[in-house]
């Protein structure tokens, strides 16, 4: 946002402002009085973290959303963008997934608590639009990756965890790497800077009830993604798949015609983006003990 010329951009980290604390959130809005809010904060994680801690995924996300959206309403925030997620669409939604698929079928059970919380957030934004006439909107990003990603061994998403695993295998001279699942599910990946540009674009060009998918509209298998990461990282050992572990949704790719019709398109190719994410990981691994 600063690169695009915005000034006075604030984004307190959770240590400064725990968004689960209602009083603290209301006080922060009263003293900061933001004109525009992008609600990206959430408890986020991969299959393992979602399966292990559904209570926190539900409770933390509901509290973060209710507190921020209530405070934004109370303080008359003019424009608000809430980030949903492509995980909230039904498990067997027709592919590519259109925005209309929301709430048309059963959820993927491995992340249903997170999905239900996010769906509540989407409906909360719609309710405020209808009842209070405020031009608040929601976006539905696909799987994200890029510099600054979460590389935690248990809480990271697929590309970040592959980057870490292959890097550690290469530096340790390991001859085999075992990945979770069969490698056959198909996924779409969007660079975080493309999402950031899409958020700004939507804030500038979109004002309607329905949420907007943000992705690349193209997918590949997890196995192909793993091969690409191994290549970028320079890992040359064997890659095996532990089919006893859950795969999650079989295919997930977004129909991005709503946002492309508005005039936005992704710019960063997957190989280029993975190389950038890997460079960030290597640089920060040492300093941040990632
Ligand atoms: N990653 C994806 O593939 C993906 C896909 C679709 C949608 N999304 C959405 O995109 C958003 C960002 O996801 P991400 O992957 O970037 O997650 P992330 O790396 O885990 O970052 C989550 C952010 O939320 C903040 N946060 C969490 N709990 C908080 C709390 N109690 N109080 C204040 N801040 C809190 C964290 O702040 P601190 O770092 O200061 O703790 C962090 O900045 C989320 O809304 C997520 O649902 C992500």
């Amino acid at each position: 946002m600063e690169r695009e010329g915005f000034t006075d951009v604030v984004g307190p980290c959770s240590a400064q402002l725990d968004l689960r604390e209602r009083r603290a959130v209301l006080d922060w809005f009263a003293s900061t009085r933001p004109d525009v809010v992008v609600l990206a904060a959430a408890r986020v994680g991969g299959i393992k973290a979602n399966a292990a801690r559904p209570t926190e995924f539900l409770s933390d996300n509901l509290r973060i959303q209710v507190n921020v959206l209530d405070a934004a309403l109370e303080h008359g925030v003019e424009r608000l963008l809430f980030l949903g997620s492509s995980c909230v669409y039904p498990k067997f939604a027709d592919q590519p997934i259109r925005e209309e698929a929301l709430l048309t079928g059963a959820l993927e059970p491995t992340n249903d608590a997170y999905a239900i919380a996010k769906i509540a957030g989407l409906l909360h934004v719609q309710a405020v639009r209808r009842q209070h006439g405020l031009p608040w909107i929601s976006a539905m990003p696909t799987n994200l990756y890029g510099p600054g990603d979460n590389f935690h061994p248990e809480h990271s998403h697929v590309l970040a965890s592959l980057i870490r695993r292959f890097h550690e295998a290469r530096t340790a001279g390991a001859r085999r790497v075992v990945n979770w699942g069969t490698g056959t599910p198909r996924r779409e990946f969007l660079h975080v800077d493309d999402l950031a540009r899409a958020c700004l674009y939507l804030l500038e060009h979109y004002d309607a009830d329905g949420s907007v998918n943000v992705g690349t509209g193209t997918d590949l298998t997890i196995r192909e993604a793993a091969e690409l990461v191994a290549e970028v990282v320079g890992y040359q050992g064997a890659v095996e798949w532990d089919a006893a572990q859950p795969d999650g949704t079989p295919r997930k790719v977004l129909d991005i015609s709503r946002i492309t019709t508005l005039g936005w398109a992704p710019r960063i190719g997957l190989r280029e983006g993975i190389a950038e994410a890997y460079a960030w990981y290597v640089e920060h691994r040492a300093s941040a003990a990632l």
Side-chain angles (χ1 to χ4, degrees):
M1 287 190 168
E2 282 166 351
R3 236 187 282 151
E4 293 296 317
F6 288 86
T7 54
D8 214 2
V9 179
V10 285
C13 65
S14 59
Q16 294 165 306
L17 176 62
D18 185 339
L19 296 173
R20 295 171 300 182
E21 301 295 334
R22 190 169 178 84
R23 188 69 262 158
V25 175
L26 287 164
D27 290 348
W28 186 88
F29 270 79
S31 60
T32 312
R33 309 201 71 84
D35 299 317
V36 180
V37 168
V38 177
L39 178 51
R43 179 180 272 268
V44 177
I47 293 181
K48 208 169 171 183
N50 269 277
R53 312 198 81 84
T55 317
E56 283 90 338
F57 277 84
L58 189 73
S59 173
D60 287 3
N61 285 321
L62 284 174
R63 282 184 288 157
I64 288 170
Q65 292 163 197
V66 168
N67 291 342
V68 172
L69 297 178
D70 282 355
L73 182 61
E74 189 171 317
H75 292 282
V77 167
E78 249 314 297
R79 199 81 168 115
L80 182 142
L81 171 67
F82 171 67
L83 292 188
S85 166
S86 58
C87 301
V88 315
Y89 285 120
K91 175 168 181 161
F92 296 111
D94 286 345
Q95 305 287 329
I97 309 173
R98 292 168 55 85
E99 287 87 350
E100 291 76 12
L102 188 67
L103 289 171
T104 58
L107 299 167
E108 159 60 46
T110 47
N111 64 12
D112 54 1
Y114 169 79
I116 290 286
K118 285 282 182 184
I119 291 170
L122 297 166
L123 294 187
H124 197 152
V125 166
Q126 274 185 7
V128 170
R129 286 184 66 87
R130 288 174 194 171
Q131 191 180 332
H132 300 275
L134 289 171
W136 291 7
I137 54 173
S138 300
M140 301 286 249
T142 189
N143 305 299
L144 304 170
Y145 75 98
D149 205 348
N150 178 351
F151 289 90
H152 188 279
E154 278 166 22
H155 306 295
S156 55
H157 286 110
V158 59
L159 278 188
S161 68
L162 288 169
I163 288 174
R164 181 184 185 125
R165 201 170 308 140
F166 284 124
H167 173 82
E168 287 177 349
R170 182 176 63 78
T171 49
R175 284 203 296 250
R176 63 190 271 269
V177 160
V178 182
N179 294 315
W180 269 40
T182 60
T184 55
R186 300 187 67 84
R187 293 289 181 273
E188 171 191 20
F189 298 101
L190 181 73
H191 192 286
V192 67
D193 288 353
D194 273 334
L195 175 66
R197 282 195 312 104
C199 288
L200 277 179
Y201 198 87
L202 290 173
L203 284 167
E204 284 164 353
H205 297 94
Y206 186 74
D207 178 18
D209 231 23
S211 59
V212 183
N213 288 342
V214 186
T216 62
T218 52
D219 60 349
L220 74 172
T221 64
I222 299 287
R223 195 178 286 262
E224 288 163 339
E227 282 163 9
L228 200 52
V229 172
E231 213 176 290
V232 169
V233 170
Y235 169 76
Q236 291 178 333
V239 179
E240 292 168 16
W241 296 89
D242 179 0
Q245 303 294 343
D247 264 344
T249 307
R251 184 178 182 218
K252 212 173 72 178
V253 61
L254 294 178
D255 178 318
I256 57 165
S257 47
R258 187 173 282 177
I259 193 166
T260 52
T261 304
L262 289 168
W264 178 90
R267 289 184 189 156
I268 305 170
L270 191 54
R271 180 183 296 271
E272 176 196 348
I274 290 174
E276 218 185 286
Y278 180 49
W280 186 93
Y281 172 69
V282 170
E283 189 184 332
H284 291 82
R285 193 183 147 74
S287 55
L290 283 166

